[in-house]
Amino acid sequence: MMEWVLVGIGGIFGALARFLVTQWITRTTDRLFPWATFLINMGGSFGLGFLLGAIGPDSGISLLLGTGFLGSFTTYSTFSLEVIQVGRKSKKVSLLYLFLSMIMGVCMAALGYITGGWLATAGIGY
């Protein structure tokens, strides 16, 4: 039961954070490229990699921050829809968004995982 509570609390704050960050970024960036979702997903990929590299998947913190917060902060469904919507305006920008998101997302997760593991091994943090 406690796991559900941790995931739920993290999810509430992750969804609110995504909403606020999206509002702020869309007011300050180009409208064609979906910068808000792109930056949120890149940050979330790094964050989840870092978290799991530093403390692993089997803790209350990973449920709260990983599954809960970052799970609701990042968004695959919005990304998928934006690829289609941008594609209706510009096929080139849509393909750029698709490939940058997929390749950079994996790279950011790997970088986060390596960094988190390095800090854990160095005895910094958890």
Side-chain angles (χ1 to χ4, degrees):
M1 180 67 164
M2 185 56 151
E3 291 90 4
W4 291 23
V5 172
L6 290 172
V7 172
I9 290 170
I12 289 167
F13 287 103
L16 289 171
R18 181 179 55 177
F19 175 76
L20 293 172
V21 170
T22 298
Q23 295 296 306
W24 178 70
I25 291 174
T26 53
R27 281 195 301 265
T28 59
T29 60
D30 177 24
R31 301 279 183 208
L32 182 58
F33 191 88
W35 284 106
T37 304
F38 179 76
L39 294 172
I40 285 168
N41 286 343
M42 294 307 104
S45 294
F46 179 86
L48 186 58
F50 182 87
L51 180 69
L52 296 182
I55 66 171
D58 299 326
S59 73
I61 293 172
S62 66
L63 288 174
L64 176 71
L65 297 178
T67 305
F69 183 85
L70 291 171
S72 67
F73 182 66
T74 59
T75 173
Y76 188 79
S77 57
T78 301
F79 159 70
S80 300
L81 182 60
E82 287 174 346
V83 168
I84 295 166
Q85 290 174 329
V86 171
R88 295 180 72 180
K89 297 174 187 171
S90 171
K91 301 281 188 253
K92 289 179 184 178
V93 174
S94 180
L95 287 173
L96 177 67
Y97 178 47
L98 174 67
F99 289 113
L100 278 179
S101 293
M102 300 305 285
I103 292 166
M104 285 186 63
V106 172
C107 290
M108 292 299 288
L111 180 62
Y113 191 82
I114 291 166
T115 304
W118 175 79
L119 289 176
T121 303
I124 302 169
Y126 292 95

